Amino acid sequence: MRFLSTLLLGLLIATSSAFAIAPDEILNDPALEARARGLSANLRCMVCQNQSIDDSDAPLAKDLRVLVRERLVAGDSDDEVITYLVDRYGEFVLLKPRFGGHTLILWASAPVVLLAGAIGIFMAVRRRKQMTSDPVASVPLSDAEKARLDSLLKSENS
């Protein structure tokens, strides 16, 4: 029963994007429709924010899907459509931001954090190995400690 419910949930999630695009939005030309789907899969729904306009059923997402198709029918290239939308809505409309000077922190932060974590783990493991490799032998006894130890051992043996 649990497997069946998981399978059903998975099917519902997989087909959820099919319900977002209304039949009246679909273009008659399959090549243009494929281009429109490719573009809209990479554009962010400004209402849902973590969904593409292809997956969202928000009214603004529908408007953006229609706009993309209108621009393609008008003869715009894919890059021209993206440029038009970025000029109009800002770069936030892109699900995958462009690489540039203003997004350098966004792109560089993940590798920097990963490298810092790896260095931290390496140093912690190294420190732990040093601590567990006979910590008593690494600190020599002072002359006073040696004399005290000798006197204790003599008194214990006698």
Side-chain angles (χ1 to χ4, degrees), residues 58-119:
L60 180 60
K62 177 182 168 116
D63 293 344
L64 288 173
R65 287 192 302 266
V66 169
L67 181 63
V68 165
R69 284 165 174 76
E70 286 173 355
R71 301 293 296 189
L72 290 175
V73 168
D76 286 0
S77 69
D78 292 358
D79 288 335
E80 289 173 333
V81 173
I82 295 295
T83 301
Y84 176 79
L85 290 170
V86 168
D87 288 345
R88 189 167 183 182
Y89 295 102
E91 205 158 315
F92 185 71
V93 77
L94 301 175
L95 277 174
K96 182 180 177 187
R98 296 176 179 162
F99 183 77
H102 60 289
T103 58
L104 186 60
I105 292 175
L106 174 68
W107 287 103
S109 63
V112 167
V113 168
L114 183 66
L115 182 64
I119 290 171

Side-chain angles (χ1 to χ4, degrees), residues 10-140:
L11 287 173
L12 285 173
I13 291 171
T15 60
S16 65
S17 66
F19 299 121
I21 298 177
D24 64 330
E25 295 176 39
I26 298 174
L27 296 172
N28 292 333
D29 183 357
L32 280 180
E33 181 61 26
R35 285 178 55 201
R37 291 282 178 111
L39 287 170
S40 62
N42 294 314
L43 296 171
R44 181 187 317 271
C45 173
M46 304 301 276
V47 176
C48 308
Q49 295 191 3
N50 288 328
Q51 281 186 323
S52 71
I53 62 171
D54 224 10
D55 297 333
S56 175
D57 57 354
L60 180 60
K62 177 182 168 116
D63 293 344
L64 288 173
R65 287 192 302 266
V66 169
L67 181 63
V68 165
R69 284 165 174 76
E70 286 173 355
R71 301 293 296 189
L72 290 175
V73 168
D76 286 0
S77 69
D78 292 358
D79 288 335
E80 289 173 333
V81 173
I82 295 295
T83 301
Y84 176 79
L85 290 170
V86 168
D87 288 345
R88 189 167 183 182
Y89 295 102
E91 205 158 315
F92 185 71
V93 77
L94 301 175
L95 277 174
K96 182 180 177 187
R98 296 176 179 162
F99 183 77
H102 60 289
T103 58
L104 186 60
I105 292 175
L106 174 68
W107 287 103
S109 63
V112 167
V113 168
L114 183 66
L115 182 64
I119 290 171
I121 290 171
F122 173 75
M123 292 180 71
V125 167
R126 198 169 117 208
R127 189 177 309 124
R128 180 168 287 177
K129 281 184 181 178
Q130 287 175 350
M131 294 297 287
T132 58
S133 66
D134 197 12
V136 175
S138 63
V139 179

